[in-house]
Amino acid sequence: MQQVKVDIPVNWRSQVWQGLLFLALFIVANLLAPQYTSIGYPLFFISIVPNLVAIVVLAPLAEELFFRVAMPNFLFAARLTTFFVVVITAALFTVFHYAAYGESFAAQSASFMGAFVFGVVAALITIRTRSPVISTVLHAGFNGWLYLKPQIGV
């Protein structure tokens, strides 16, 4: 069975650029359909550390290591197929964001689709490259975009 390995590949610089490309695509999607691609902010982080650090550094690192590395490794070890690993990790990523993010039921429901799509894309990228670098850059950049977007008036 296929395994997702926790390692920084030799071509990590290339993967950072690929992550930035995916980030640009997610920002365009967010500009075109914000109601389906906004995920929300982690309410429990806001009082602990400065918002930008929590949203752009801590949350993406922790979430990518858990949802794209630890969980897929466990599911692959349980002999699940790539399809089920992607769907399960994306669904659990979505449930996590549904439970922990958003101010109201309407905000949480609107972010549900965005979190699931993001989870699928990040899982596929991580499994294909066998590295969490691209998905972490994408996650950090997209969180930063969602945080800064209202502040710059977009």
Side-chain angles (χ1 to χ4, degrees), residues 142-154:
F142 195 62
N143 280 8
W145 165 254
L146 293 176
Y147 178 75
L148 295 173
K149 183 179 162 185
Q151 296 179 21
I152 60 176
V154 177

Side-chain angles (χ1 to χ4, degrees), residues 86-88 90-94 111-121:
V86 169
V87 170
I88 290 169
L92 291 174
F93 180 76
T94 302
S111 67
F112 192 81
M113 166 125 10
F116 185 76
V117 168
F118 185 92
V120 167
V121 169

Side-chain angles (χ1 to χ4, degrees), residues 36-96:
Y36 299 115
T37 57
S38 293
I39 294 173
Y41 303 124
L43 300 177
F44 54 87
F45 273 137
I46 290 175
S47 63
I48 300 171
V49 294
N51 294 353
L52 197 57
V53 172
I55 292 168
V56 177
V57 178
L58 299 178
L61 282 174
E63 291 175 17
E64 291 305 307
L65 288 175
F66 181 74
F67 290 106
R68 299 325 153 224
V69 177
M71 189 176 294
N73 279 336
F74 173 79
L75 296 172
F76 280 128
R79 304 180 79 61
L80 292 176
T81 65
T82 298
F83 174 80
F84 284 112
V85 170
V86 169
V87 170
I88 290 169
T89 58
L92 291 174
F93 180 76
T94 302
V95 169
F96 170 77

